[in-house]
Amino acid sequence: MARKVQFVETVLRDANQSLIATRLPYDKFEPMLPVIDKAGYYAAECWGGATFDVCLRYLHEDPWERLRKIRAAMPNTKLQMLLRGQNVLGYSHYPDDFVRLFVAKAVENGIDVIRIFDALNDVNNLKVAMEATVEAGAIASGTISYTTSPVHTHANYVKMVKELKEMGASTICIKDMAGIMGPQEAYDLVSAIKDAVDLPIDLHTHSTTGLAFMTYLKAVEAGVDIIDTAISPFSGGTSQPATETMAYALRQLGYQVDLDDTATKTMADYFKGVRDGYIADGTMMPKSMATDTQCLTYQVPGGMLSNLLSQLKQMNALDRFDEALLETPKVRKDLGYPPLVTPTSQMVGVQAVRNVLDGQRYKTVSKEIKAYCRGEYGRTPAPIDPEIQKQILGDEQPLTGRYADSLEPIVEPTRKKLEGIARSDEDVLSYIAFPNLAEKFFDERKQREENEVTYTIVEG
Ligand code: CO
């Protein structure tokens, strides 16, 4: 019998985030939810990552309400979210009580699969979120943030996968956020992991460098169970490879793909219209749809390259781009080869620009880099260069244990603080994650409701 390959549809989260900065409001995708629900996906990735932040910051949406509405419209498909381990959806570490309650509420509001990753691949930063996910009865997808460096060997990845299984992972995700994984690497890494554990493996990559289709194909040959794709109008470039294309090719090669072609056709027709709107208003830029092989040369994610450019532009120093680009891998090496993913990608990029513009390395250091050197982000893949660490920390001693152990519980004090303002634990969680945005959102919500009441009265 033909081996089955399953699909995760990313249009609602990663494709949306990678191509149009997560600006898709609920109303724009609502009509397609029943169609996606019928299409036969393993899961629909629809929450987490930047969606939470952007809902509050730009879309005037309650992220929790969005999740509940998606859940109601899609009763048959697993809903998946992306969670940054101890960082949850933010950029620094939170106390354990917040991580636990957040995970519990995400599952209660409709999430089935939580993909949990850490920017440094430090399993200590995954432990609490993994535990909470298993406790809540959801699928914990233990995730490797894929990168290349002298210390990121297959043996080390396999060791990590075994630890993830110990922690309760029921699937393993290889997350290649920069799209730098080539077909042979995919084949070898998937084979190595398949040999080590008997868990379903999901490969996540981006089309940025153009490798993705080939990478998926070789991963499937090596036994990968699930691949992440985006419906064609929202595929390619910094997003995922196209769902329909992968389905077509895999079927031709004799694999079983349980996707309903009528449903994916309806989705493609609909999202073409949505995409055209974003191209017309400039939200979707041709650059993000293009193939960019620079990432292969510099081993830095596409998003980082555009961040470097915009930083230099702000400082009127665009002519220093090449130097900043060359400095980036050096900073990464100094810092012990962190994978370049949120938030380490931003930290490394900013530092590289500083080193170049200051004309002296590590003369200015952000508070995030300082915290990183103190050990607040976790154990680095390789040790930080001791001289640079000393230069940055002075006499301060780096931390040895888990940083979150030093954090006081935050949920109960915040509940008290928000008495009369927060209407639910979900509100409390939004506030802890993004205090200023949540406060503004609560005000807007109240305002909106008062206006609605007036309106109803006038209408009589
Ligand atoms: Co991604």
Side-chain angles (χ1 to χ4, degrees):
M1 215 181 80
R3 196 168 66 78
K4 183 154 121 181
V5 180
Q6 292 191 283
F7 286 61
V8 171
E9 175 59 52
T10 66
V11 65
L12 303 179
R13 208 288 298 176
D14 205 354
N16 169 18
Q17 185 170 328
S18 302
L19 293 178
I20 53 167
T22 335
R23 293 302 197 278
L24 205 53
Y26 178 79
D27 298 345
K28 276 251 165 78
F29 61 75
E30 184 186 26
M32 278 305 104
L33 294 177
V35 182
I36 303 175
D37 194 37
K38 279 196 318 238
Y41 287 102
Y42 166 77
E45 192 192 45
C46 63
W47 213 61
T51 59
F52 201 96
D53 182 338
V54 173
C55 272
L56 290 170
R57 197 184 296 268
Y58 299 111
L59 302 176
H60 312 283
E61 276 184 50
D62 181 348
W64 299 97
E65 195 185 318
R66 172 185 281 214
L67 173 56
R68 287 190 294 270
K69 290 199 281 195
I70 297 174
R71 174 77 289 169
M74 295 182 63
N76 305 304
T77 304
K78 287 199 272 294
L79 301 184
Q80 180 172 304
M81 76 169 290
L82 180 66
L83 190 98
R84 295 177 191 137
Q86 203 73 26
N87 290 5
V88 185
L89 301 175
Y91 306 99
S92 58
H93 282 202
Y94 290 103
D96 292 342
D97 65 334
F98 172 68
V99 179
R100 286 183 191 283
L101 186 64
F102 195 97
V103 166
K105 285 289 168 185
V107 176
E108 197 183 303
N109 282 277
I111 289 294
D112 302 287
V113 183
I114 308 190
R115 178 177 289 173
I116 306 165
F117 78 97
D118 176 60
L120 295 178
N121 282 328
D122 180 355
V123 289
N124 283 323
N125 293 335
L126 303 174
K127 209 180 279 172
V128 174
M130 296 277 292
E131 247 175 52
T133 304
V134 174
E135 249 166 56
I139 294 173
S141 187
T143 302
I144 293 172
S145 301
Y146 176 80
T147 188
T148 53
S149 87
V151 293
H152 288 89
T153 58
H154 286 181
N156 279 338
Y157 282 133
V158 165
K159 185 170 159 267
M160 182 180 177
V161 163
K162 286 179 176 165
E163 287 170 330
L164 293 171
K165 192 185 173 187
E166 285 288 291
M167 286 179 183
S170 35
T171 65
I172 296 296
C173 174
I174 308 168
K175 178 178 159 67
D176 173 24
M177 48 278 170
I180 54 171
M181 183 188 280
Q184 191 62 48
E185 288 163 280
Y187 188 88
D188 294 342
L189 183 57
V190 170
S191 303
I193 296 173
K194 274 272 158 193
D195 282 345
V197 295
D198 56 354
L199 295 177
I201 304 176
D202 177 325
L203 179 58
H204 173 90
T205 189
H206 288 253
S207 296
T208 326
T209 61
L211 289 170
F213 285 113
M214 296 178 278
T215 303
Y216 275 163
L217 183 56
K218 291 304 281 184
V220 167
E221 283 178 18
V224 101
D225 302 273
I226 306 160
I227 53 175
D228 288 14
T229 59
I231 198 72
S232 51
F234 271 77
S235 73
T238 51
S239 174
Q240 273 74 47
T243 305
E244 308 95 297
T245 313
M246 277 313 302
Y248 185 93
L250 291 179
R251 279 182 186 139
Q252 189 172 82
L253 288 161
Y255 295 97
Q256 182 190 336
V257 174
D258 291 343
L259 285 176
D260 174 350
D261 295 340
T262 316
T264 52
K265 166 94 171 50
T266 309
M267 286 165 63
D269 289 345
Y270 178 84
F271 279 109
K272 222 173 264 172
V274 174
R275 177 193 62 186
D276 291 349
Y278 286 115
I279 291 175
D281 74 7
T283 308
M284 192 184 282
M285 287 178 286
K287 204 179 64 181
S288 54
M289 303 295 286
T291 304
D292 182 352
T293 54
Q294 260 193 324
C295 318
L296 295 176
T297 317
Y298 300 107
Q299 303 279 309
V300 299
M304 245 186 104
L305 290 175
S306 45
N307 278 346
L308 280 183
L309 273 174
S310 71
Q311 265 187 72
L312 289 167
K313 203 169 159 190
Q314 271 173 27
M315 295 167 178
N316 261 328
L318 266 180
D319 56 319
R320 313 291 296 271
F321 181 67
D322 289 343
E323 283 170 82
L325 205 51
L326 285 175
E327 176 65 8
T328 303
K330 291 182 194 155
V331 171
R332 181 172 174 242
K333 181 171 186 255
D334 295 339
L335 297 179
Y337 296 110
L340 297 175
V341 61
T342 307
T344 45
S345 51
Q346 287 84 339
M347 286 155 54
V348 169
V350 168
Q351 191 61 51
V353 168
R354 283 275 39 120
N355 286 358
V356 166
L357 294 189
D358 288 347
Q360 189 190 330
R361 308 186 76 225
Y362 304 100
K363 187 178 165 206
T364 11
V365 171
S366 67
K367 70 176 199 309
E368 287 82 10
I369 290 278
K370 238 187 190 148
Y372 177 96
C373 288
R374 272 198 298 264
E376 292 183 15
Y377 287 83
R379 196 177 54 209
T380 54
I384 300 170
D385 184 305
E387 263 172 46
I388 286 158
Q389 192 171 24
K390 180 101 182 67
Q391 186 191 335
I392 292 171
L393 290 185
D395 289 332
E396 220 179 318
Q397 283 307 307
L399 219 98
T400 47
R402 200 179 68 111
Y403 175 62
D405 289 336
S406 69
L407 301 173
E408 293 294 327
I410 193 171
V411 172
E412 208 39 59
T414 312
R415 274 190 191 126
K416 286 220 174 70
K417 184 177 164 188
L418 294 182
E419 249 169 54
I421 299 167
R423 298 174 183 178
S424 60
D425 270 353
E426 283 81 348
D427 276 358
V428 172
L429 293 167
S430 298
Y431 182 88
I432 296 171
F434 300 102
N436 300 332
L437 297 180
E439 215 165 355
K440 202 172 119 258
F441 175 78
F442 299 153
D443 283 347
E444 282 171 8
R445 181 173 62 184
K446 211 167 143 209
Q447 206 65 50
R448 212 163 38 227
E449 284 167 357
E450 279 167 9
N451 290 344
E452 271 165 26
V453 171
T454 323
Y455 181 74
T456 321
I457 294 167
V458 171
E459 287 293 295

